[in-house]
Structure formats: C-alpha cells, structure tokens
Amino acid sequence: MGYGVVGKGVAYAINQYGGRIEKRTGFKLRLLHILDLLDFPDSPDARLITHDVEDVMGDGDVDVVVETMGGLNAAFRFTVSAFERGKHVVTSNKELVAERGPELLKAAAERGVNYLFDASVGGGIPVITPVSECLVAGNIASITGILNGTTNFMLSHMKSHGTSFAETLKLAQEMGYAESDPAADIEGDDARRKLAIISSVAWGAFLDWKTIHTEGIANVTLEDILQATDLGRVLKLVAQSRRLARGGSEAYVLPVMLDRRDPLASVDGVYNALTVGGDLYGDVMFRGQGAGMLPTGGAVVSDIIKAAAPGKRCAALCWDRDAAINISEFSKLIHGFYVRVESPDPDAYRDDFFRRFPEARVLPRYADGGGCDGSAVTPRTVIFMVPSASEGEFIKKIADINAAVAGSTVRFTARLPLTG
Amino acid sequence: MGYGVVGKGVAYAINQYGGRIEKRTGFKLRLLHILDLLDFPDSPDARLITHDVEDVMGDGDVDVVVETMGGLNAAFRFTVSAFERGKHVVTSNKELVAERGPELLKAAAERGVNYLFDASVGGGIPVITPVSECLVAGNIASITGILNGTTNFMLSHMKSHGTSFAETLKLAQEMGYAESDPAADIEGDDARRKLAIISSVAWGAFLDWKTIHTEGIANVTLEDILQATDLGRVLKLVAQSRRLARGGSEAYVLPVMLDRRDPLASVDGVYNALTVGGDLYGDVMFRGQGAGMLPTGGAVVSDIIKAAAPGKRCAALCWDRDAAINISEFSKLIHGFYVRVESPDPDAYRDDFFRRFPEARVLPRYADGGGCDGSAVTPRTVIFMVPSASEGEFIKKIADINAAVAGSTVRFTARLPLTG
C-alpha cells in the first residue's frame, strides 16, 4: 500500500533479489497487488496496481501487507483492517508508529499477527531487531543518534563546502534529500518520532514523541558550523534518550557540538547512526544509510520475511501506553552552551551576560564574513560560550538578560556535552 | 558447559537480568547445570557445578545447552550429543564454528534444533543476526572489520602512549586483554576465524578459515605506527572478504594503514567493528565491545532466547561445505605498500628497489629514536612506500631484491588501501 519511494524500493528488492531471498531463507516472495491512488503505466509492475483496498484485504493469498503510504488516517484504518483479516503488516511509516504504535501493537497481538517496523527508524540500518532481539539481556541506559539524513546532509555539506543554510537546503531539495516542505526534517520532528520509537522498543514502555524536547536547525548559519570547527567540535542534530542513574528519564533532539573524536562526529552526509549504551553490552553503535529507496525497501523486505516466519515476533516489541516513559528531567540536565545573540546594545548585553554567567567567554567573530554568508555577520551579534549550566538555569537567565536589554533575541543555541 | 570468562558472564546475565528478560520476551531462563572440570566453591552457582556431562544431556528439563568450553574435540562431541538429545546449542566457540560449522549446522538441522553462535564474532556486537536476518534482501559485496580486541588494544595503546610492542603486550597480558600465549591474537588467527564465520553467514557458503591469507602484527614497531600517523593514516589489523565484480573472491587479514577519516580508523582500544557493504543497503557498520565477560555473556543469552523461541532459525545460517567460497584472487589485489627492510647494504638495496619500483619513495626515519624504541632504529633499516602494485608483483619483486642483496630481510609490511 503506497507506491512512493519506499514502496518502489520494496517492489524492486522483491523483483531483483527474490531468488537470493528464497535460497537464503526458504521464503518465496510474490508481489500480488500494489495499492495507490495513481496509475503507473510505465512501471514494470503496472499490471498489479489497484485503487481498491479490498483487492488487497480480500485476497486470501496475501500473507503480509506492506504499508508505505505514510500519514495517519488511511494508513491506520488499512493496518487495522489487515490485522482483522489475519494478515501481518510491515511498515516504514514512522508518523503512524510513533503516534499509534501502542494500539496497533496491541491489535496485532490480539489477532495473533505481527506488526513490524524496522524500516521506520534508520532506513537500511538494522536497529529495531538488534535492540529488541540481540541486546535484550541487560539494561539499556541511553540511546544517542543522528537519525535524520536531510539535516545531517545539510550540516555536513555546509561544513565541507562553506555554503549557506539557504543554498544548501535548495541543493538538498534538488537532490531529493529534502521535501519541498522541509519542516519535519529541519525542525527535528522526524528525528524525535524515530527517537520515540526506538526508545519505546528499548524500554518496552511508550515514549510519546510529542513530549520530547526538540530544537531543530532552522536558524543555523555557516558561522555556527565554522565556530564549532574552531572549538574542535562538529555540529550535529543529536537525538538522545536516557534513563538517569538518580531515577527519571530524559529525551531530547538538539543541535549539539560534539567533540570531533566522538564516533558520531564523523557520521556525515545522508548517513545515520545510533549508539545504544547499557550495563551489559557497553556502547554498541549502528551506522549506515538512514533513508533512500533501496536501503529502506530492503529493510521492509527483511521484515516481510520475519513477519511470515512461524512464531510471533511481537512479544519483544510490545509496549504499553499505560507504562509510558515520563520525561521530567530536561531542565535539570547540565550542558555547555554555545549561544548566538542579536542585540541593539551588544555592550550592555555582554555586561549583563557576564554578570549572570561569570565563567562564560565571548567567541571571536568571523567579522569579515570570510568564507561565511556575510548576512549573519553584524556588529550587533555576540556569540557566547558557557562552560556549564543546567537547562533550567540557562533558560531562566537568558530570559532575564533579554528582558533587561530590550530588543535582544537569541538566534541559535547549541549544546556542548560535558566530558566525563 | 565451560565456566570460564564467557560462561561466568552467561550465568551472571541470567541471574542478574532474568526478570527483565522474562518481562521483555516471555521466556523464563533457569540455569540448571554448570559442567566444568574444576569446582568453584566460592561461586554463587557452586551447587550447580557438575563434572559429568550426562547430568546435562540426560536432563529432560534442559532445552538449551550453552557451550563456552572452547577447543575442538570435547566441544564437538558434546555439541553433537546435545543435538541427538533434541537440545539446542548456543556457543561462543569460534574455533569450533570456523572448523566444523558446516557439519554442526547440518546435524542441528537434521534434528530440528538450532545451533546459534552470534557470540563467536564480535563479542557483544550483534553481527550474525543482523547479517543473516536483516540484511538478507540484497547482495553482500564485502565485509571489512577490526575483529580482534587484543591487537586493536595494543595498536591503539602504542599510538597513544608511545610504548614498544613488547611492553604493550606485557601490559595487555596484565590487564587480561591478551592470553599468556598470545599467538592466536597476534598472528591473526583469531581474526581470520571470525572473518570466515561471518563471511560464510553472509554468503551462505563455507569459507575455510585456513585459506584466508593472514599476516599478523608480531613484527610491528612503534616506528611503524608513528610513520602511519605522519602519512595521515592509522595502522589497524584489518580483516576483509570480498566478492569481486569481475568474478572470484578474496579474503585476508593484514596490517593496513587506513586513511584516518575511514570510519574504522577511529575504532580504538578493545572495540571491534564490522562494515558490511552491499548493493541494496550500502555500507552498514556495527561497532562495540568485541570481547569481555559481560558483552559476550549477554550475546549468548540473547541467542538462548532465540534458540528456545518457536520456529527454526537455522535456514538463514546454514552453509554447505560443498558450496565453498574459493579464494583465488589475492595475488591480483592492488594495494599501496609500506615496507620496512633491514639490509647489510642499504644503498644497494635502495638502488635495486627503485629500479624495480620507480614510483616508490623512501620515508624519513625516526633516526634518533625520538619517542621510539630505539632498538629498531639502525642505519641498516630502510622504509619504502610503493604507491600501487599487485600483491603478486610486489612479492615477486621483493624476493628478487632480497636475492640480489644478500642478507636482506623484510621486517614488516603494511598495506595502504587505494582510494576510489
């Protein structure tokens, strides 16, 4: 259901690698129907296209339904309907899994079928299966990842090519890495949905994606990226969830200036990566192509085989809305801060800032815009680095300074992880 | 069976995390017997120790037998015996899987039980399951890894601390990272057994570990490591297998000077990593702790759960001795070469070398042993870099030069991967 980029990748993988799959797994995959609103007269699978969902649901030969439609409403209805007909469902639809995962997993379990969604997080990187089946013995303490390919491509490209945010976004759209409406990627919603899904799998408890503190990269400039380099760091959009040793949980998606020796710092371009930290296995990192027709299509196909294999897969995946993970600790987190401010009175701002953050320092500007998009460089801009503060303290003090020096605005904030 | 480091890790994981495992998977694990030659009166599981294998095999309550004895003979016999009693076997014994994998997988399949060995490659890093179950759709073209924790710890430590090979080996032994007889690690046999296992899984065809061209790091010096740094590279013991586009396969374990931006170059200490390259998923990398009581014990436990779950797991794992992978292409591989030579007549050696490798260059020595173990620095040592040659051509020409300048010996060779 859904013959877009991922759906086409699934069809391609089945057509192209069916023989290998049968030889390796004993399963012969046959593509029986393709449900889509459009016709695809030039597709090799044109004869399988249907506009009537009943062609899929009413066909007793259909064991597994693939949902790559995206969206919430029709996808939800059709998925439930497949379960009711005793069919397994495999999806790449992260919106739906993040929003309605608990109900759908429960509905699948009640009907004795599987609902699998490895392709919804990390594209072609196997993450759901390793976390739910291989790292199942110990406790998982943290999940840290670069989970959005669009923003990671943009940040990497700005760094390596010295381009502005606007021209890089345009390039990403031309190359098919960004949607015409890029908000879900740029604002961090895509990454937080994926973080919610993998965290729910790791902890067997529902993490509501809307509760995850999220800041995107809409306001990043080339100068911010160059400043990170000067600090021996790399700016990345990082998604993290943690169970804290003192109790409580936290989860966020934030622009973070990682130490350049951090294994995640070298994950560039459309690559994604995920590090799972725990008390038994230590840190395990998974890295690969986080999106794209073939990797994501391939991930769906391996879930099709799992869904069809005897035995229920759901046990390790089920998570309950009642056992929700409560995120309450964000304001207590302690980070270093990089903050770029615009103020009509930079001197007054600087004075007030140092009064409240005596340990802070001002970073030298790229004053002549050398290599930068000059637009961001105005004498009214000041960039500070605060070595260490809690999120709550930082937000409070910044609000106080902004109130004291009228007309001042924070343009961009990035976190610096504290070492040790 | 076997209460050594890994066996103790398995017992610890079951005792410590049994509740979590039951909650997440529905399986209640009970440790019934521990077979070992020794007694462990101070162990929390002392009462489970037995010296009679029949206590394990004859107990109808035993569903899964864990073999962490190591070695080939008793481990093989006991494993077959477990299959004959209808018990699944989970192992971390890479010697046995590499040597007798095909027979054991066949014997398990005939009895309708599972033989699982995720812990035999990569310790706590999930690699066998992701490769056999998640990356199953496309073709796998290459496997590249750092698969031995001992040698990787030593190379990293020499680089970061400027220590000699001998003192680093001693330290590794004191820290428990190296055996008292370190040959299997240092000479590369451990890595090639692991490469053979994961390659056999990836291709569903038997790769005999003894056919893999292997050079270890026994002759590496601190100077070689510092020379790599000067070349913008990092020296690693790399295991690689590939199916070549022109047909044929190759596999090797070699000291390789990786470009420092290669994701494997930053895998330091006791960490291991594996990159799987293919036509559908692109490059997927797995990284984590490649050894140790807890990670490896945890990997065994997740296989216990898989083994006991309904449904046979063997299909994707079975590989046949008849469908063996024939490695024939090593001499045709083209690399750059770093080669350190000792000769009684360095000038003559240099002249002859340049006659045969006109593109070569001589690297400046760390002449005063600055930061180096001075012992290796003699005026009779010459280090060359050859930008590109086939393995066959290189070996032939070096043999000719050594014959021409009597008494000359190659002390150490590392490969430089060609880019692009």
Side-chain angles (χ1 to χ4, degrees):
Chain A
M1 308 190 298
Y3 197 57
V5 172
V6 179
K8 286 184 181 118
V10 174
Y12 175 87
I14 291 174
N15 293 336
Q16 196 72 13
Y17 299 103
R20 177 189 199 273
I21 292 165
E22 187 176 358
K23 181 157 167 276
R24 298 304 312 282
T25 68
F27 284 96
K28 186 168 170 60
L29 302 185
R30 274 201 305 152
L31 184 57
L32 295 177
H33 309 281
I34 297 173
L35 179 71
D36 202 285
L37 294 172
L38 305 176
D39 285 304
F40 296 86
D42 301 329
S43 155
D45 299 306
R47 73 205 151 74
L48 302 178
I49 298 279
T50 173
H51 309 306
D52 181 359
V53 68
E54 193 50 32
D55 284 348
V56 178
M57 300 302 165
D59 185 342
D61 284 346
V62 171
D63 297 311
V64 181
V65 174
V66 171
E67 187 268 296
T68 52
M69 306 161 59
L72 293 174
N73 297 328
F76 179 81
R77 273 200 332 273
F78 292 173
T79 299
V80 170
S81 168
F83 295 156
E84 285 167 351
R85 306 287 188 105
K87 300 178 194 310
H88 309 290
V89 177
V90 171
T91 189
S92 62
N93 184 339
K94 52 199 161 284
E95 294 89 343
L96 184 60
V97 177
E99 188 79 32
R100 311 290 297 267
E103 294 96 304
L104 288 170
L105 285 162
K106 198 164 162 228
E110 283 167 5
R111 296 283 174 167
V113 293
N114 292 313
Y115 183 51
L116 300 180
F117 44 86
D118 213 330
S120 71
V121 182
I125 317 169
V127 289
I128 305 273
T129 297
V131 168
S132 61
E133 297 188 16
C134 301
L135 303 178
V136 75
N139 290 313
I140 291 175
S142 67
I143 289 171
T144 313
I146 295 175
L147 296 179
N148 180 266
T150 306
T151 49
N152 203 47
F153 166 79
M154 289 183 62
L155 294 172
S156 303
H157 191 275
M158 289 169 76
K159 178 175 194 267
S160 57
H161 291 74
T163 48
S164 74
F165 181 87
E167 60 187 306
T168 310
L169 176 57
K170 193 158 162 281
L171 177 72
Q173 287 170 325
E174 283 164 10
M175 293 174 77
Y177 294 155
E179 317 264 340
S180 54
D181 176 2
D185 294 316
I186 301 292
E187 306 286 356
D189 277 352
D190 177 76
R192 74 168 159 166
R193 286 194 185 98
K194 291 169 177 168
L195 178 65
I197 294 170
I198 186 68
S199 302
S200 298
V201 169
W203 288 310
F206 179 61
L207 175 56
D208 184 344
W209 69 277
K210 292 185 290 297
T211 65
I212 298 175
H213 181 99
T214 299
E215 300 173 21
I217 62 157
N219 297 320
V220 76
T221 63
L222 177 57
E223 181 175 11
D224 299 322
I225 286 166
L226 298 176
Q227 293 280 6
T229 305
D230 280 357
L231 295 167
R233 293 175 178 270
V234 183
L235 184 66
K236 295 288 182 191
L237 185 62
V238 171
Q240 184 171 72
S241 61
R242 278 198 284 169
R243 301 211 126 169
L244 305 180
R246 63 172 186 268
S249 302
E250 50 97 352
Y252 60 72
V253 175
L254 291 172
V256 174
M257 292 184 175
L258 296 171
D259 187 288
R260 65 162 179 244
R261 286 158 304 188
D262 187 307
L264 290 176
S266 59
V267 176
D268 281 336
V270 293
Y271 276 79
N272 279 193
L274 188 83
T275 300
V276 180
D279 52 1
L280 199 57
Y281 302 94
D283 281 351
V284 180
M285 177 168 140
F286 306 90
R287 179 187 189 280
Q289 292 182 22
M293 173 174 130
L294 295 184
T296 312
V300 168
V301 169
S302 67
D303 265 355
I304 293 174
I305 295 159
K306 269 189 211 155
K312 281 206 320 148
R313 292 300 184 129
C314 210
L317 288 182
C318 270
W319 67 76
D320 212 317
R321 214 178 262 282
D322 301 334
I325 299 170
N326 202 354
I327 303 168
S328 54
E329 304 292 317
F330 186 75
S331 67
K332 295 180 200 153
L333 291 184
I334 295 171
H335 290 132
F337 291 82
Y338 166 100
V339 56
R340 176 164 50 78
V341 177
E342 259 181 63
S343 172
D345 188 348
D347 290 336
Y349 201 97
R350 211 179 276 117
D351 289 349
D352 207 351
F353 200 94
F354 281 118
R355 232 183 338 265
R356 292 173 212 261
F357 296 107
E359 320 255 280
R361 65 187 179 93
V362 169
L363 297 184
R365 300 293 315 287
Y366 288 80
D368 59 356
C372 285
D373 44 351
S375 60
V377 180
T378 81
R380 312 175 104 191
T381 298
V382 193
I383 300 176
F384 299 95
M385 207 174 71
V386 178
S388 167
S390 77
E391 289 283 343
E393 175 195 356
F394 181 79
I395 287 166
K396 170 80 176 63
K397 287 186 179 174
I398 289 286
D400 289 345
I401 307 170
N402 286 349
V405 187
S408 305
T409 325
V410 170
R411 291 293 182 194
F412 183 71
T413 309
R415 272 66 169 186
L416 285 66
L418 301 184
T419 49
Chain B
M1 307 190 297
Y3 197 57
V5 172
V6 179
K8 285 185 182 117
V10 174
Y12 175 87
I14 291 174
N15 293 335
Q16 196 72 13
Y17 299 103
R20 177 188 199 273
I21 293 165
E22 186 176 359
K23 183 159 166 273
R24 299 304 313 282
T25 68
F27 284 96
K28 186 169 171 58
L29 302 185
R30 273 201 303 151
L31 184 56
L32 295 178
H33 309 281
I34 296 173
L35 178 72
D36 202 285
L37 294 172
L38 305 177
D39 284 306
F40 296 86
D42 300 331
S43 155
D45 298 307
R47 73 204 151 72
L48 301 178
I49 298 279
T50 173
H51 310 306
D52 181 0
V53 68
E54 192 52 31
D55 283 349
V56 178
M57 299 303 166
D59 185 342
D61 284 347
V62 171
D63 296 312
V64 181
V65 174
V66 171
E67 186 267 297
T68 52
M69 307 161 58
L72 293 174
N73 296 328
F76 180 81
R77 273 201 332 274
F78 292 172
T79 300
V80 169
S81 167
F83 294 158
E84 285 168 352
R85 307 287 188 104
K87 299 177 194 309
H88 308 290
V89 177
V90 171
T91 189
S92 62
N93 183 340
K94 51 199 162 285
E95 295 88 345
L96 184 59
V97 177
E99 188 78 34
R100 311 290 297 267
E103 293 97 303
L104 288 171
L105 285 162
K106 198 164 163 227
E110 282 168 5
R111 296 281 174 167
V113 292
N114 292 313
Y115 183 52
L116 299 180
F117 44 85
D118 213 329
S120 70
V121 182
I125 318 168
V127 289
I128 306 272
T129 297
V131 169
S132 62
E133 297 187 16
C134 301
L135 303 179
V136 74
N139 290 313
I140 291 175
S142 67
I143 290 171
T144 313
I146 294 174
L147 297 179
N148 180 267
T150 306
T151 49
N152 203 49
F153 166 79
M154 290 183 62
L155 294 173
S156 303
H157 191 275
M158 290 169 76
K159 177 174 195 266
S160 57
H161 290 75
T163 47
S164 74
F165 181 86
E167 61 187 306
T168 310
L169 176 57
K170 193 157 162 282
L171 178 72
Q173 288 169 325
E174 282 163 11
M175 295 174 75
Y177 294 155
E179 317 263 341
S180 54
D181 176 2
D185 294 317
I186 302 292
E187 307 286 356
D189 277 352
D190 178 76
R192 73 169 161 165
R193 287 194 184 98
K194 291 169 176 168
L195 179 65
I197 294 170
I198 187 67
S199 302
S200 298
V201 169
W203 288 311
F206 180 60
L207 175 57
D208 184 343
W209 69 278
K210 291 185 290 297
T211 66
I212 297 174
H213 181 98
T214 298
E215 301 172 22
I217 63 157
N219 297 319
V220 75
T221 63
L222 177 58
E223 180 175 10
D224 299 322
I225 286 166
L226 298 176
Q227 293 280 6
T229 305
D230 281 358
L231 294 168
R233 293 175 178 270
V234 183
L235 184 67
K236 294 288 183 191
L237 185 62
V238 171
Q240 184 172 70
S241 61
R242 278 198 284 169
R243 302 211 126 169
L244 305 180
R246 62 172 186 268
S249 301
E250 50 96 352
Y252 60 73
V253 175
L254 291 173
V256 174
M257 292 184 174
L258 296 171
D259 187 288
R260 65 162 180 244
R261 287 158 302 188
D262 188 307
L264 291 175
S266 60
V267 176
D268 281 336
V270 294
Y271 275 78
N272 280 192
L274 189 82
T275 300
V276 180
D279 52 0
L280 199 56
Y281 301 94
D283 281 350
V284 181
M285 177 167 141
F286 306 89
R287 178 187 191 280
Q289 292 181 23
M293 173 175 129
L294 295 184
T296 312
V300 168
V301 169
S302 66
D303 265 356
I304 294 175
I305 295 158
K306 268 188 212 157
K312 282 207 318 148
R313 290 301 184 130
C314 208
L317 287 182
C318 271
W319 67 76
D320 213 318
R321 216 179 260 284
D322 301 333
I325 299 171
N326 203 354
I327 304 168
S328 54
E329 306 291 318
F330 186 75
S331 68
K332 295 180 200 154
L333 291 184
I334 295 172
H335 290 131
F337 291 83
Y338 165 99
V339 55
R340 175 164 52 77
V341 177
E342 259 181 63
S343 171
D345 187 348
D347 291 336
Y349 200 97
R350 210 179 277 114
D351 290 348
D352 207 351
F353 199 96
F354 281 118
R355 228 178 349 260
R356 291 173 213 261
F357 296 107
E359 320 255 282
R361 66 187 179 92
V362 169
L363 297 184
R365 300 293 314 286
Y366 288 79
D368 60 357
C372 285
D373 42 352
S375 61
V377 180
T378 80
R380 311 175 103 190
T381 298
V382 193
I383 300 176
F384 299 95
M385 208 175 70
V386 178
S388 166
S390 77
E391 288 284 342
E393 176 195 356
F394 181 79
I395 287 165
K396 170 80 174 64
K397 287 185 180 173
I398 289 286
D400 290 346
I401 307 170
N402 285 349
V405 187
S408 305
T409 324
V410 170
R411 291 292 182 196
F412 183 71
T413 309
R415 272 65 170 187
L416 285 66
L418 301 184
T419 48

Short mmCIF file of all heavy atoms in Angstrom, two decimals, chain A residues 101-133:
data_model
loop_
_atom_site.label_atom_id
_atom_site.label_comp_id
_atom_site.label_asym_id
_atom_site.label_seq_id
_atom_site.Cartn_x
_atom_site.Cartn_y
_atom_site.Cartn_z
N GLY A 101 1.46 3.55 17.76
CA GLY A 101 2.14 2.26 17.97
C GLY A 101 1.49 1.37 19.02
O GLY A 101 1.22 0.19 18.76
N PRO A 102 1.22 1.90 20.23
CA PRO A 102 0.67 1.03 21.27
C PRO A 102 -0.62 0.33 20.85
O PRO A 102 -0.75 -0.88 21.01
CB PRO A 102 0.43 2.01 22.44
CG PRO A 102 1.40 3.12 22.21
CD PRO A 102 1.52 3.25 20.72
N GLU A 103 -1.58 1.08 20.27
CA GLU A 103 -2.84 0.46 19.84
C GLU A 103 -2.59 -0.59 18.77
O GLU A 103 -3.20 -1.66 18.76
CB GLU A 103 -3.81 1.49 19.24
CG GLU A 103 -4.33 2.53 20.19
CD GLU A 103 -3.52 3.80 20.11
OE1 GLU A 103 -2.29 3.70 20.31
OE2 GLU A 103 -4.09 4.87 19.84
N LEU A 104 -1.72 -0.24 17.80
CA LEU A 104 -1.53 -1.15 16.68
C LEU A 104 -0.82 -2.43 17.12
O LEU A 104 -1.15 -3.52 16.67
CB LEU A 104 -0.77 -0.44 15.55
CG LEU A 104 -1.61 0.62 14.82
CD1 LEU A 104 -0.75 1.46 13.88
CD2 LEU A 104 -2.76 -0.04 14.05
N LEU A 105 0.18 -2.28 18.02
CA LEU A 105 0.86 -3.48 18.50
C LEU A 105 -0.12 -4.37 19.27
O LEU A 105 -0.08 -5.60 19.17
CB LEU A 105 2.05 -3.08 19.38
CG LEU A 105 3.26 -2.58 18.59
CD1 LEU A 105 4.21 -1.80 19.47
CD2 LEU A 105 3.99 -3.75 17.93
N LYS A 106 -0.99 -3.73 20.04
CA LYS A 106 -1.98 -4.49 20.81
C LYS A 106 -2.97 -5.19 19.87
O LYS A 106 -3.28 -6.38 20.04
CB LYS A 106 -2.73 -3.51 21.74
CG LYS A 106 -3.45 -4.19 22.87
CD LYS A 106 -3.84 -3.17 23.96
CE LYS A 106 -4.92 -3.76 24.85
NZ LYS A 106 -6.04 -2.83 25.06
N ALA A 107 -3.43 -4.45 18.87
CA ALA A 107 -4.39 -5.03 17.92
C ALA A 107 -3.76 -6.22 17.19
O ALA A 107 -4.41 -7.26 16.99
CB ALA A 107 -4.84 -3.97 16.92
N ALA A 108 -2.48 -6.09 16.80
CA ALA A 108 -1.80 -7.19 16.12
C ALA A 108 -1.71 -8.40 17.04
O ALA A 108 -1.99 -9.53 16.64
CB ALA A 108 -0.42 -6.74 15.65
N ALA A 109 -1.30 -8.14 18.30
CA ALA A 109 -1.14 -9.25 19.24
C ALA A 109 -2.47 -9.98 19.46
O ALA A 109 -2.52 -11.21 19.52
CB ALA A 109 -0.59 -8.73 20.57
N GLU A 110 -3.56 -9.21 19.54
CA GLU A 110 -4.87 -9.84 19.75
C GLU A 110 -5.28 -10.75 18.59
O GLU A 110 -5.97 -11.73 18.77
CB GLU A 110 -5.94 -8.75 19.95
CG GLU A 110 -5.88 -8.17 21.36
CD GLU A 110 -6.72 -6.89 21.49
OE1 GLU A 110 -7.42 -6.52 20.52
OE2 GLU A 110 -6.66 -6.27 22.57
N ARG A 111 -4.83 -10.38 17.40
CA ARG A 111 -5.18 -11.19 16.23
C ARG A 111 -4.12 -12.25 15.93
O ARG A 111 -4.21 -12.97 14.95
CB ARG A 111 -5.33 -10.29 15.00
CG ARG A 111 -6.48 -9.30 15.11
CD ARG A 111 -7.81 -10.00 14.86
NE ARG A 111 -8.92 -9.08 15.11
CZ ARG A 111 -10.16 -9.35 14.73
NH1 ARG A 111 -10.46 -10.46 14.10
NH2 ARG A 111 -11.13 -8.49 15.00
N GLY A 112 -3.05 -12.28 16.74
CA GLY A 112 -2.01 -13.27 16.51
C GLY A 112 -1.18 -13.02 15.26
O GLY A 112 -0.65 -13.95 14.66
N VAL A 113 -1.08 -11.76 14.86
CA VAL A 113 -0.24 -11.42 13.70
C VAL A 113 0.86 -10.46 14.13
O VAL A 113 0.86 -9.95 15.26
CB VAL A 113 -1.08 -10.81 12.56
CG1 VAL A 113 -2.03 -11.84 11.98
CG2 VAL A 113 -1.82 -9.57 13.03
N ASN A 114 1.79 -10.21 13.24
CA ASN A 114 2.93 -9.34 13.56
C ASN A 114 2.76 -7.95 12.96
O ASN A 114 2.20 -7.79 11.87
CB ASN A 114 4.22 -9.96 13.00
CG ASN A 114 4.59 -11.24 13.74
OD1 ASN A 114 4.58 -11.29 14.97
ND2 ASN A 114 4.91 -12.28 12.99
N TYR A 115 3.26 -6.96 13.68
CA TYR A 115 3.35 -5.59 13.15
C TYR A 115 4.80 -5.18 13.29
O TYR A 115 5.30 -5.00 14.41
CB TYR A 115 2.43 -4.67 13.97
CG TYR A 115 2.37 -3.23 13.47
CD1 TYR A 115 2.11 -2.95 12.13
CD2 TYR A 115 2.56 -2.17 14.35
CE1 TYR A 115 2.04 -1.63 11.68
CE2 TYR A 115 2.47 -0.84 13.91
CZ TYR A 115 2.22 -0.59 12.57
OH TYR A 115 2.14 0.71 12.13
N LEU A 116 5.51 -5.09 12.18
CA LEU A 116 6.96 -4.88 12.22
C LEU A 116 7.32 -3.57 11.52
O LEU A 116 6.71 -3.21 10.51
CB LEU A 116 7.69 -6.05 11.56
CG LEU A 116 7.46 -7.43 12.20
CD1 LEU A 116 8.24 -8.50 11.45
CD2 LEU A 116 7.87 -7.42 13.67
N PHE A 117 8.31 -2.87 12.04
CA PHE A 117 8.58 -1.51 11.56
C PHE A 117 10.06 -1.15 11.64
O PHE A 117 10.41 -0.01 11.93
CB PHE A 117 7.72 -0.51 12.35
CG PHE A 117 7.69 -0.79 13.84
CD1 PHE A 117 8.69 -0.29 14.66
CD2 PHE A 117 6.71 -1.58 14.41
CE1 PHE A 117 8.68 -0.55 16.02
CE2 PHE A 117 6.69 -1.86 15.77
CZ PHE A 117 7.68 -1.34 16.58
N ASP A 118 10.92 -2.12 11.36
CA ASP A 118 12.36 -1.83 11.41
C ASP A 118 12.73 -0.70 10.45
O ASP A 118 13.64 0.08 10.71
CB ASP A 118 13.16 -3.11 11.07
CG ASP A 118 14.49 -3.18 11.83
OD1 ASP A 118 15.06 -2.11 12.12
OD2 ASP A 118 14.96 -4.29 12.13
N ALA A 119 12.00 -0.60 9.33
CA ALA A 119 12.31 0.43 8.33
C ALA A 119 11.91 1.83 8.77
O ALA A 119 12.27 2.81 8.12
CB ALA A 119 11.61 0.08 7.02
N SER A 120 11.18 1.94 9.88
CA SER A 120 10.72 3.27 10.30
C SER A 120 11.82 4.05 11.02
O SER A 120 11.73 5.26 11.17
CB SER A 120 9.49 3.16 11.20
OG SER A 120 9.83 2.62 12.47
N VAL A 121 12.85 3.38 11.48
CA VAL A 121 13.97 4.05 12.16
C VAL A 121 15.27 3.63 11.48
O VAL A 121 15.55 2.44 11.37
CB VAL A 121 14.06 3.65 13.65
CG1 VAL A 121 15.20 4.38 14.34
CG2 VAL A 121 12.75 3.92 14.36
N GLY A 122 16.02 4.60 10.99
CA GLY A 122 17.35 4.27 10.47
C GLY A 122 17.36 3.69 9.07
O GLY A 122 18.41 3.22 8.63
N GLY A 123 16.25 3.75 8.35
CA GLY A 123 16.24 3.27 6.96
C GLY A 123 16.82 1.87 6.84
O GLY A 123 16.26 0.92 7.40
N GLY A 124 17.93 1.75 6.15
CA GLY A 124 18.52 0.44 5.91
C GLY A 124 19.39 -0.07 7.04
O GLY A 124 19.92 -1.18 6.96
N ILE A 125 19.55 0.69 8.11
CA ILE A 125 20.36 0.21 9.24
C ILE A 125 19.49 -0.65 10.12
O ILE A 125 18.45 -0.19 10.59
CB ILE A 125 20.88 1.38 10.11
CG1 ILE A 125 21.37 2.54 9.26
CG2 ILE A 125 21.95 0.90 11.06
CD1 ILE A 125 21.63 3.80 10.07
N PRO A 126 19.91 -1.88 10.39
CA PRO A 126 19.09 -2.68 11.29
C PRO A 126 19.23 -2.13 12.71
O PRO A 126 20.33 -2.12 13.26
CB PRO A 126 19.73 -4.08 11.22
CG PRO A 126 20.74 -4.03 10.12
CD PRO A 126 21.10 -2.59 9.92
N VAL A 127 18.16 -1.62 13.29
CA VAL A 127 18.23 -1.15 14.67
C VAL A 127 17.16 -1.77 15.55
O VAL A 127 17.44 -2.20 16.67
CB VAL A 127 18.19 0.40 14.80
CG1 VAL A 127 19.48 1.02 14.32
CG2 VAL A 127 17.01 1.01 14.08
N ILE A 128 15.92 -1.86 15.06
CA ILE A 128 14.85 -2.40 15.90
C ILE A 128 15.13 -3.86 16.25
O ILE A 128 15.04 -4.26 17.42
CB ILE A 128 13.48 -2.29 15.20
CG1 ILE A 128 13.20 -0.86 14.76
CG2 ILE A 128 12.38 -2.86 16.08
CD1 ILE A 128 12.55 0.02 15.75
N THR A 129 15.48 -4.66 15.26
CA THR A 129 15.75 -6.07 15.52
C THR A 129 16.94 -6.26 16.46
O THR A 129 16.83 -6.98 17.46
CB THR A 129 15.96 -6.83 14.20
OG1 THR A 129 14.75 -6.77 13.45
CG2 THR A 129 16.32 -8.30 14.44
N PRO A 130 18.09 -5.65 16.20
CA PRO A 130 19.19 -5.84 17.15
C PRO A 130 18.84 -5.39 18.57
O PRO A 130 19.20 -6.07 19.53
CB PRO A 130 20.31 -4.98 16.57
CG PRO A 130 20.03 -4.92 15.12
CD PRO A 130 18.54 -4.93 14.99
N VAL A 131 18.13 -4.28 18.70
CA VAL A 131 17.82 -3.80 20.05
C VAL A 131 16.80 -4.71 20.72
O VAL A 131 16.93 -5.04 21.89
CB VAL A 131 17.32 -2.34 20.01
CG1 VAL A 131 16.72 -1.92 21.35
CG2 VAL A 131 18.46 -1.41 19.63
N SER A 132 15.79 -5.17 19.98
CA SER A 132 14.74 -5.95 20.64
C SER A 132 15.10 -7.42 20.76
O SER A 132 14.56 -8.11 21.62
CB SER A 132 13.41 -5.81 19.89
OG SER A 132 13.54 -6.29 18.57
N GLU A 133 16.01 -7.92 19.93
CA GLU A 133 16.31 -9.36 19.98
C GLU A 133 17.73 -9.67 20.43
O GLU A 133 17.98 -10.71 21.01
CB GLU A 133 16.07 -10.00 18.62
CG GLU A 133 14.61 -9.91 18.19
CD GLU A 133 14.32 -10.70 16.93
OE1 GLU A 133 15.14 -11.55 16.55
OE2 GLU A 133 13.27 -10.45 16.31
#
